[in-house]
Each structure stands twice: as structure tokens, then as C-alpha cells.
């Protein structure tokens, strides 16, 4: 059975979740993302609890999956390399295909894909550095 740093996975999830809050905030990309996605920032979400709980659970799934792929004691450089490869080579590339067929802008894709690359890096760094 594979060994996991469950606390590291949970902390990585929290940090990744926090990165998302910052990334999509007015300090960074909220205005441009709303314009590109067609979301009205002044309109309340239909079900914010569902959105945030689902987002947290999916982020936890991502952190767990990356922990599984990296193993119990990943080296920082290797962890970052794997995270960037997953972020760019799998996630961003797959999103790019979908965004092309959906007629979404490249700016919208760069914002979303950039977030996922960064969040995988945050998760990997946390898993590599957490005691």
C-alpha cells in the first residue's frame, strides 16, 4: 500500500483553493476573466455553497492524485517538473482543445490554463516541502 502524507494533501488543497481565490479576485484576473467568460461579476451565484464545496472536493482529488503520482517523499525539482508537465502538457492542452471548439478566446484560455499550471505547482511544492 502506498504511503501518503494526508496532512500535506489537505494543506496543499487549502493552499490551492486560496490561490484560486487570489487568481480570480479583483487583484489579478477577475475583471478580465468575467469579460472573457461572459460572467456578470455583479450577479450572485445560483448556488455558491455547491460551487465552493464541489471546487474544494475536486481540488482535494487533484492534490491526492498528484501525491499518488509523486510518491511519499518527492524531491522539489522532480515534483515541480511533474506538476508543470501535468499542468501544461495535459491540463492546459486539453483545455485548449475544448476552448478552440467552443470558440473561447485565447485570453480566457491563458487565464484558466495558467491558474491550473500554477495550482499544480503549489500542490507539488507543498507535497515536497511539507514535513
Amino acid at each position: 500500500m502506498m504511503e501518503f502524507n494526508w496532512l500535506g494533501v489537505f494543506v496543499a488543497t487549502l493552499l490551492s483553493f486560496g490561490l484560486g481565490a487570489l487568481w480570480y479576485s479583483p487583484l489579478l484576473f477577475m475583471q478580465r476573466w468575467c469579460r472573457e467568460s461572459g460572467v456578470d461579476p455583479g450577479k450572485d451565484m445560483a448556488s455558491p455553497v455547491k460551487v465552493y464545496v464541489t471546487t474544494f472536493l475536486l481540488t482535494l482529488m487533484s492534490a491526492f492524485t498528484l501525491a499518488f503520482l509523486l510518491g511519499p517523499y518527492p524531491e522539489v525539482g522532480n515534483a515541480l517538473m511533474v506538476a508543470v508537465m501535468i499542468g501544461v502538457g495535459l491540463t492546459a492542452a486539453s483545455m485548449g482543445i475544448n476552448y478552440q471548439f467552443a470558440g473561447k478566446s485565447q485570453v480566457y484560455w491563458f487565464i484558466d490554463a495558467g491558474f491550473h499550471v500554477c495550482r499544480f505547482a503549489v500542490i507539488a511544492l507543498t507535497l515536497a516541502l511539507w514535513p
Side-chain angles (χ1 to χ4, degrees):
M1 179 157 171
M2 184 138 191
E3 185 178 336
F4 282 98
N5 180 349
W6 292 103
L7 183 57
V9 168
F10 185 72
V11 170
T13 299
L14 291 175
L15 291 174
S16 176
F17 199 76
L19 174 65
L22 177 63
W23 193 271
Y24 293 101
S25 76
L27 292 173
L28 291 179
F29 300 108
M30 183 181 122
Q31 302 303 331
R32 187 67 190 259
W33 183 86
C34 286
R35 187 169 50 247
E36 297 294 326
S37 67
V39 171
D40 180 356
K43 186 179 176 189
D44 289 338
M45 274 187 242
S47 181
V49 171
K50 178 184 173 191
V51 169
Y52 287 111
V53 167
T54 302
T55 299
F56 184 83
L57 292 174
L58 293 171
T59 303
L60 180 64
M61 183 187 309
S62 294
F64 175 80
T65 301
L66 195 51
F68 179 83
L69 293 172
L70 293 175
Y73 305 103
E75 295 178 7
V76 172
N78 186 56
L80 272 177
M81 180 186 67
V82 170
V84 170
M85 290 177 73
I86 289 170
V88 173
L90 296 177
T91 306
S94 297
M95 291 172 70
I97 292 167
N98 289 1
Y99 281 37
Q100 288 300 302
F101 278 96
K104 303 295 183 185
S105 75
Q106 285 188 337
V107 170
Y108 185 40
W109 173 67
F110 280 126
I111 293 169
D112 284 344
F115 166 67
H116 289 289
V117 171
C118 290
R119 97 181 165 92
F120 280 123
V122 165
I123 291 169
L125 281 173
T126 304
L127 294 171
L129 298 173
W130 194 261

